[in-house]
Amino acid sequence: MGISPWQLLIVLLIVIVLFGSKRLRSLGGDIGGAIRDFRKAANKQPEDNEQ
């Protein structure tokens, strides 16, 4: 069985109470930036340095 929406909402409320909304917002921004940088690096083509 999966997680119901009510259970997810309760977990979200507990996390907000424990960490605070400002800290979660900055953490979300940091995670988003890391994912963005990872995608850029993954899509970058390797350069041929052979001569």
Side-chain angles (χ1 to χ4, degrees):
M1 295 176 73
I3 297 175
S4 73
W6 287 109
Q7 291 171 334
L8 195 58
L9 182 64
I10 291 171
V11 170
L12 182 62
L13 288 174
I14 292 171
V15 168
I16 289 174
V17 168
L18 289 176
F19 293 109
S21 61
K22 288 184 181 181
R23 187 169 178 190
L24 287 177
R25 192 176 307 132
S26 67
L27 182 64
D30 293 343
I31 291 173
I35 292 172
R36 194 176 317 117
D37 290 342
F38 177 77
R39 286 183 179 168
K40 282 182 186 177
N43 290 332
K44 192 174 186 180
Q45 296 291 330
E47 297 177 10
D48 290 332
N49 290 331
E50 297 177 16
Q51 293 181 354

